[in-house]
Amino acid sequence: MTKRGRNRLPALSGLVLLAGALLAAPASAAPKRVMSLNVCTDQLAMALAAPGQLVSVSFLAREPSLSMLHEEARKYPVNRGLAEEVFLEKPDLVVTGTYALHNTTALLKRLGFAVEEFSFVQTLDTIPGEIRRMGALLGQEEKAERIAAGFATELADIERRQCDRRPTAIAYDQNGVALGKGTLADSVLQAAGLRNLATDAGVVGMAPFPLEQVVAEKPDIIVTGRPESAPTLGEHVPRHPAIAAMPATRVGAFVPEGSWSCGAPTVIKAVRALAKLREEIAPCPAGTAP
Amino acid sequence: MKPSLLTTALTLLALALFVLSLLVGPAELALGDSLSGLVAGGGEAAAIIMREIRLPRALLGLSIGISLGLSGAVLQGFLRNPLAEPGIIGVSGTAALGAVAIFYSGIAGSSLYALPLGALAGAGASVLILLAIAARQGSTLTLILAGVALSSLSGALTSLVLNLSPNPFAAYEIIFWLLGSLKDRSLEHVALALPLMAAGWLLIALSARAVDALSLGEEAAESLGIPMARARFLIVAGVALSVGAATAVVGTIGFIGLVVPHLLRPLTDRLPSSLLLPAGLGGAALLLAADVAARLVLPAGELNVGVLTALIGAPFFLWLVMRARREMF
């Protein structure tokens, strides 16, 4: 804090100079100081960066409900995604999400920082590509290739064990919002061998899904969020007595905490958990699956 | 209009809208399925939808409508102020603030019991403040302006508390607390609010004679042998209970207590006490109708019913102010 206060004035006056210097700097093969401003780029960067290469991650990276690598994240200083923080840290590369911090990203680019944006409209198919892209940016191509290939192999493995018996499921969260076509959760449900009711009903992206319709469709599985430390009324919707009253429906969090909030290698844990659940409630008849 | 005729007509209207409320929803159930679902047991989808989703919603529409209509009528009579209404004078707003402050702080876990507890405290505090203001400064304008100040302050503090919650989803619930909704309520909410509201109705009913006497002025009422302290207690507690419990489960729903007494007063003998029952029934009919409309206007996303009542009520309030200006200020 004191350091930042002391540095603010010279930093501001040196703004133009520094911007020019950065633009002129030769692009080196692997950036030495990388800063991640988004909880999802945090996941990729923490998985791939060499020791000392990643100078800070976003403060959300320590949030267990959003970040699978929240314990790992305690080893790094955290940032709040402010342009000032980036400016004082002077990283060689900034990685962030496309729609999280629009103004910050635009400002940083104008100041001449190298900013790489990752789209978070993504599904399981895009993840190996994102891993390789982050690997290339960090100069960790080999490690990225290993993780990406492992991810793709395990995913293909799980998908191969599917059969025609596809129980219905819905990812039903705060305030009765469902995750439909094009979301990471949808691709995870499909990969685990489940039919996503929200997608069948025409939901694209995240959209409100009437509680009555959930009951009327009688899904086999309802995947809800975990109750957070601070209460909201919205989290009472997936716990509505009408859902509890459905006799044949399994309701629960099912996926490991934080595992499907980001398109990171760890999302495979969510696929595994749901595939296991599918095996339990609708085992494939012997002989149909290899 | 004869009182019995008016009451019967309003009862039938409220009941018809109650049934209509049971029949409207995104799961398109056939009429027969809905009705048999209501009485049949078991785990059939239609039965669950009717008993666990639509019945609580219709019950809350009915009982909260009664609470708001009744509170509006008694406040207008007691304060001798045609613009008095739980929403406008800030009772609903402070009730919401009380509920939000206790629930989102998490001191009661995520238990729903925290809601009415906080809301009753908030509503009670604001009614006491307003009565103190009304006692010192009888003017209609002062009371309404104090109510406006109280509403804005509690709205701002409600937003602040929700923004301070460590849970990022809490801030999305500002709209629910400022413009209430009956969406996705359950029988738990009915069990939480209905007994408290019923107690409030009883207290308000007991104050009827005092409110009539008060229409002659406070001194005249006292010379008639009406114990003013008791009347004041009955009304404060009655309004705090009914509006507090209502707001605790559905957020702030404004203007019902303003519009309904005004629409029905010309049909009564204009004694405040003979307006109480019709205003309660009329409030129920209006809230049920608004809640049905909220589901039909935007079937997928659903409009907050507080938006609809404000759309009807705010222009009405403006018209009342324009009309009343000549007579009062």
Side-chain angles (χ1 to χ4, degrees):
Chain A
M1 240 17 235
T2 51
K3 183 170 178 254
R4 190 188 298 175
R6 191 153 31 84
N7 281 346
R8 188 165 291 152
L9 256 182
L12 280 176
S13 58
L15 204 126
V16 183
L17 269 178
L18 181 86
L22 276 170
L23 281 173
S28 64
K32 290 191 176 60
R33 297 166 53 74
V34 179
M35 208 167 156
S36 168
L37 308 186
N38 177 288
V39 65
C40 291
T41 49
D42 292 343
Q43 311 294 310
L44 291 172
M46 284 190 282
L48 292 168
Q53 193 179 19
L54 189 57
V55 294
S56 76
V57 293
S58 80
F59 70 105
L60 290 174
R62 292 182 177 178
E63 189 69 42
S65 62
L66 293 173
S67 168
M68 197 73 196
L69 301 178
H70 60 99
E71 272 168 24
E72 170 92 8
R74 305 218 158 261
K75 293 186 211 154
Y76 298 93
V78 291
N79 64 65
R80 295 207 151 245
L82 303 175
E84 276 186 32
E85 292 172 305
V86 178
F87 201 82
L88 293 174
E89 207 53 77
K90 302 185 184 66
D92 308 327
L93 173 68
V94 175
V95 287
T96 185
T98 40
Y99 59 66
L101 303 158
H102 255 323
N103 295 334
T104 310
T105 308
L107 179 61
L108 290 176
K109 282 185 176 164
R110 221 175 59 227
L111 292 177
F113 284 97
V115 182
E116 283 292 336
E117 294 171 272
F118 282 71
S119 159
F120 289 103
V121 183
Q122 49 179 230
T123 59
L124 286 175
D125 302 336
T126 62
I127 291 175
E130 302 284 8
I131 298 171
R132 291 191 181 103
R133 180 172 162 219
M134 184 65 88
L137 287 171
L138 300 183
Q140 304 288 337
E141 287 88 350
E142 240 170 78
K143 198 171 173 186
E145 186 51 45
R146 207 169 57 239
I147 296 177
F151 180 86
T153 314
E154 183 168 3
L155 186 63
D157 224 37
I158 294 173
E159 285 182 316
R160 205 172 319 121
R161 273 180 267 138
Q162 293 181 5
C163 57
D164 286 343
R165 303 185 63 181
R166 293 169 74 83
T168 53
I170 185 167
Y172 204 51
D173 212 341
Q174 290 263 351
N175 278 316
V177 166
L179 298 163
K181 193 171 183 238
T183 59
L184 180 63
D186 177 63
S187 70
V188 171
L189 291 171
Q190 311 274 5
L194 300 165
R195 246 177 60 211
N196 185 0
L197 267 186
T199 301
D200 289 359
V203 173
V204 177
M206 277 175 81
F209 198 84
L211 183 62
E212 284 190 10
Q213 212 173 330
V214 175
V215 177
E217 301 276 359
K218 293 187 229 162
D220 297 306
I221 299 169
I222 298 178
V223 187
T224 65
R226 278 183 175 69
E228 306 236 358
S229 49
T232 60
L233 288 179
E235 73 188 24
H236 281 269
V237 176
R239 291 194 260 150
H240 193 282
I243 284 185
M246 287 192 283
T249 302
R250 302 266 206 120
V251 187
F254 299 123
V255 299
E257 185 168 26
S259 59
W260 68 2
S261 49
C262 281
T266 44
V267 75
I268 200 76
K269 294 187 183 177
V271 186
R272 253 185 244 154
L274 288 172
K276 193 163 155 270
L277 182 66
R278 203 241 336 138
E279 287 285 348
E280 246 174 75
I281 64 169
C284 284
T288 53
Chain B
M1 201 186 281
K2 264 212 198 118
S4 59
L5 184 66
L6 180 65
T7 311
T8 318
L10 286 170
T11 308
L12 289 178
L13 180 65
L15 283 180
L17 285 161
F18 180 82
V19 174
L20 184 65
S21 173
L22 285 174
L23 298 179
V24 174
E28 283 155 6
L29 301 177
L31 188 65
D33 286 350
S34 326
L35 296 179
S36 66
L38 203 53
V39 286
E44 282 301 305
I48 296 176
I49 289 173
M50 293 307 294
R51 285 198 321 258
E52 303 287 349
I53 301 175
R54 292 198 195 166
L55 182 64
R57 182 171 196 157
L59 283 174
L60 285 177
L62 185 77
S63 55
I64 287 167
I66 293 177
S67 295
L68 296 175
L70 200 57
S71 302
V74 78
L75 285 173
Q76 287 175 16
F78 180 64
L79 299 169
R80 275 161 289 150
N81 186 332
L83 303 180
E85 190 260 342
I88 292 170
I89 64 172
V91 180
S92 304
T94 46
L97 172 61
V100 164
I102 293 200
F103 179 75
Y104 290 88
S105 66
I107 48 177
S110 78
S111 158
L112 292 175
Y113 290 95
L115 294 171
L117 205 72
L120 292 191
S126 64
V127 184
L128 285 177
I129 293 173
L130 290 164
L131 284 193
I133 292 169
R136 287 218 320 213
Q137 261 258 2
S139 133
T140 306
L141 191 63
T142 315
L143 185 76
I144 297 304
L145 291 180
V148 169
L150 216 52
S151 290
S152 318
L153 181 66
S154 51
L157 289 175
T158 300
S159 307
L160 180 68
V161 173
L162 291 171
N163 273 311
L164 288 178
S165 165
N167 189 328
F169 291 99
Y172 293 114
E173 288 170 13
I174 290 173
I175 177 146
F176 168 81
W177 288 106
L178 299 185
L179 294 162
S181 164
L182 274 71
K183 186 174 173 241
D184 297 342
R185 308 288 96 185
S186 69
L187 285 173
E188 284 172 68
H189 294 99
V190 179
L192 222 53
L194 190 53
L196 296 171
M197 288 193 284
W201 305 341
L202 188 71
L203 295 184
I204 292 174
L206 289 176
S207 74
R209 217 168 63 86
V211 177
D212 276 350
L214 262 175
S215 58
L216 306 170
E218 214 155 295
E219 280 162 27
E222 237 158 332
S223 70
L224 283 171
I226 302 289
M228 284 313 297
R230 178 177 170 272
R232 221 172 260 132
F233 166 77
L234 287 175
I235 291 168
V236 170
V239 170
L241 278 168
S242 35
V243 176
T247 309
V249 292
V250 298
T252 303
I253 296 178
F255 298 105
I256 299 231
L258 178 76
V259 176
V260 173
H262 279 282
L263 288 181
L264 297 177
R265 190 171 290 119
L267 303 176
T268 67
D269 59 10
R270 290 182 182 271
L271 263 183
S273 67
S274 42
L275 183 60
L276 292 182
L277 182 59
L281 293 169
L286 181 58
L287 182 55
L288 285 166
D291 184 46
V292 168
R295 273 175 279 177
L296 295 176
V297 178
L298 270 180
E302 189 169 314
L303 203 58
N304 275 30
V305 71
V307 176
L308 276 182
T309 59
L311 282 178
I312 304 165
F316 186 83
F317 180 59
L318 204 58
W319 174 74
L320 273 181
V321 170
M322 301 307 285
R323 200 188 59 163
R325 206 172 49 144
R326 277 168 278 153
E327 298 160 21
M328 299 181 318
F329 302 145

